[in-house]
PDB file of all heavy atoms in Angstrom:
ATOM      1  N   SER A 303     187.856  69.929 -87.816  1.00 92.00           N
ATOM      2  CA  SER A 303     188.230  68.926 -86.809  1.00 92.00           C
ATOM      3  C   SER A 303     189.198  67.917 -87.472  1.00 92.00           C
ATOM      4  O   SER A 303     189.359  66.813 -87.019  1.00 92.00           O
ATOM      5  CB  SER A 303     187.029  68.200 -86.264  1.00 92.00           C
ATOM      6  OG  SER A 303     186.427  67.413 -87.325  1.00 92.00           O
ATOM      7  N   GLY A 304     189.760  68.326 -88.577  1.00 94.00           N
ATOM      8  CA  GLY A 304     190.724  67.417 -89.284  1.00 94.00           C
ATOM      9  C   GLY A 304     190.043  66.197 -89.813  1.00 94.00           C
ATOM     10  O   GLY A 304     190.604  65.141 -89.943  1.00 94.00           O
ATOM     11  N   GLY A 305     188.745  66.319 -90.085  1.00 95.00           N
ATOM     12  CA  GLY A 305     187.997  65.196 -90.674  1.00 95.00           C
ATOM     13  C   GLY A 305     187.396  64.236 -89.629  1.00 95.00           C
ATOM     14  O   GLY A 305     186.578  63.380 -89.992  1.00 95.00           O
ATOM     15  N   VAL A 306     187.817  64.383 -88.371  1.00 96.00           N
ATOM     16  CA  VAL A 306     187.341  63.431 -87.366  1.00 96.00           C
ATOM     17  C   VAL A 306     185.820  63.406 -87.261  1.00 96.00           C
ATOM     18  O   VAL A 306     185.192  62.330 -87.252  1.00 96.00           O
ATOM     19  CB  VAL A 306     187.977  63.753 -85.987  1.00 96.00           C
ATOM     20  CG1 VAL A 306     187.410  62.875 -84.883  1.00 96.00           C
ATOM     21  CG2 VAL A 306     189.508  63.596 -86.068  1.00 96.00           C
ATOM     22  N   ARG A 307     185.250  64.579 -87.149  1.00 96.00           N
ATOM     23  CA  ARG A 307     183.803  64.632 -86.961  1.00 96.00           C
ATOM     24  C   ARG A 307     183.063  64.460 -88.311  1.00 96.00           C
ATOM     25  O   ARG A 307     181.875  64.082 -88.284  1.00 96.00           O
ATOM     26  CB  ARG A 307     183.426  65.913 -86.227  1.00 96.00           C
ATOM     27  CG  ARG A 307     183.904  65.969 -84.786  1.00 96.00           C
ATOM     28  CD  ARG A 307     183.036  66.841 -83.966  1.00 96.00           C
ATOM     29  NE  ARG A 307     183.554  66.901 -82.590  1.00 96.00           N
ATOM     30  CZ  ARG A 307     184.437  67.796 -82.137  1.00 96.00           C
ATOM     31  NH1 ARG A 307     184.939  68.707 -82.934  1.00 96.00           N
ATOM     32  NH2 ARG A 307     184.867  67.765 -80.888  1.00 96.00           N
ATOM     33  N   ASP A 308     183.722  64.660 -89.435  1.00 97.00           N
ATOM     34  CA  ASP A 308     183.055  64.386 -90.691  1.00 97.00           C
ATOM     35  C   ASP A 308     182.831  62.890 -90.768  1.00 97.00           C
ATOM     36  O   ASP A 308     181.754  62.430 -91.223  1.00 97.00           O
ATOM     37  CB  ASP A 308     183.947  64.822 -91.882  1.00 97.00           C
ATOM     38  CG  ASP A 308     184.300  66.287 -91.845  1.00 97.00           C
ATOM     39  OD1 ASP A 308     183.643  67.016 -91.073  1.00 97.00           O
ATOM     40  OD2 ASP A 308     185.203  66.698 -92.560  1.00 97.00           O
ATOM     41  N   ASP A 309     183.815  62.125 -90.310  1.00 97.00           N
ATOM     42  CA  ASP A 309     183.668  60.659 -90.356  1.00 97.00           C
ATOM     43  C   ASP A 309     182.512  60.207 -89.512  1.00 97.00           C
ATOM     44  O   ASP A 309     181.810  59.211 -89.822  1.00 97.00           O
ATOM     45  CB  ASP A 309     184.955  59.955 -89.866  1.00 97.00           C
ATOM     46  CG  ASP A 309     186.133  60.191 -90.766  1.00 97.00           C
ATOM     47  OD1 ASP A 309     185.880  60.642 -91.927  1.00 97.00           O
ATOM     48  OD2 ASP A 309     187.254  59.955 -90.355  1.00 97.00           O
ATOM     49  N   MET A 310     182.264  60.927 -88.434  1.00 98.00           N
ATOM     50  CA  MET A 310     181.112  60.541 -87.549  1.00 98.00           C
ATOM     51  C   MET A 310     179.824  60.725 -88.282  1.00 98.00           C
ATOM     52  O   MET A 310     178.894  59.931 -88.131  1.00 98.00           O
ATOM     53  CB  MET A 310     181.107  61.448 -86.293  1.00 98.00           C
ATOM     54  CG  MET A 310     182.278  61.188 -85.356  1.00 98.00           C
ATOM     55  SD  MET A 310     182.243  62.428 -84.065  1.00 98.00           S
ATOM     56  CE  MET A 310     183.565  61.826 -83.025  1.00 98.00           C
ATOM     57  N   ILE A 311     179.740  61.758 -89.107  1.00 98.00           N
ATOM     58  CA  ILE A 311     178.502  61.988 -89.880  1.00 98.00           C
ATOM     59  C   ILE A 311     178.298  60.817 -90.846  1.00 98.00           C
ATOM     60  O   ILE A 311     177.230  60.285 -90.990  1.00 98.00           O
ATOM     61  CB  ILE A 311     178.592  63.349 -90.601  1.00 98.00           C
ATOM     62  CG1 ILE A 311     178.703  64.477 -89.630  1.00 98.00           C
ATOM     63  CG2 ILE A 311     177.387  63.540 -91.555  1.00 98.00           C
ATOM     64  CD1 ILE A 311     178.891  65.896 -90.258  1.00 98.00           C
ATOM     65  N   VAL A 312     179.412  60.497 -91.561  1.00 98.00           N
ATOM     66  CA  VAL A 312     179.277  59.420 -92.541  1.00 98.00           C
ATOM     67  C   VAL A 312     178.852  58.126 -91.864  1.00 98.00           C
ATOM     68  O   VAL A 312     177.921  57.453 -92.327  1.00 98.00           O
ATOM     69  CB  VAL A 312     180.692  59.190 -93.228  1.00 98.00           C
ATOM     70  CG1 VAL A 312     180.725  57.943 -94.097  1.00 98.00           C
ATOM     71  CG2 VAL A 312     181.094  60.446 -94.004  1.00 98.00           C
ATOM     72  N   LYS A 313     179.461  57.801 -90.727  1.00 98.00           N
ATOM     73  CA  LYS A 313     179.157  56.574 -90.008  1.00 98.00           C
ATOM     74  C   LYS A 313     177.660  56.605 -89.589  1.00 98.00           C
ATOM     75  O   LYS A 313     176.949  55.576 -89.751  1.00 98.00           O
ATOM     76  CB  LYS A 313     180.059  56.505 -88.790  1.00 98.00           C
ATOM     77  CG  LYS A 313     180.161  55.121 -88.248  1.00 98.00           C
ATOM     78  CD  LYS A 313     181.416  54.993 -87.340  1.00 98.00           C
ATOM     79  CE  LYS A 313     181.421  53.683 -86.643  1.00 98.00           C
ATOM     80  NZ  LYS A 313     181.195  53.717 -85.267  1.00 98.00           N
ATOM     81  N   ALA A 314     177.237  57.756 -89.112  1.00 98.00           N
ATOM     82  CA  ALA A 314     175.860  57.818 -88.570  1.00 98.00           C
ATOM     83  C   ALA A 314     174.839  57.614 -89.722  1.00 98.00           C
ATOM     84  O   ALA A 314     173.834  56.941 -89.562  1.00 98.00           O
ATOM     85  CB  ALA A 314     175.615  59.187 -87.940  1.00 98.00           C
ATOM     86  N   VAL A 315     175.150  58.141 -90.880  1.00 98.00           N
ATOM     87  CA  VAL A 315     174.249  57.913 -92.020  1.00 98.00           C
ATOM     88  C   VAL A 315     174.268  56.443 -92.411  1.00 98.00           C
ATOM     89  O   VAL A 315     173.194  55.829 -92.595  1.00 98.00           O
ATOM     90  CB  VAL A 315     174.677  58.799 -93.248  1.00 98.00           C
ATOM     91  CG1 VAL A 315     173.811  58.421 -94.492  1.00 98.00           C
ATOM     92  CG2 VAL A 315     174.469  60.260 -92.939  1.00 98.00           C
TER      93      VAL A 315
END
Side-chain angles (χ1 to χ4, degrees):
S303 67
V306 173
R307 292 206 181 90
D308 304 345
D309 293 346
M310 292 173 174
I311 297 175
V312 172
K313 200 160 172 251
V315 172

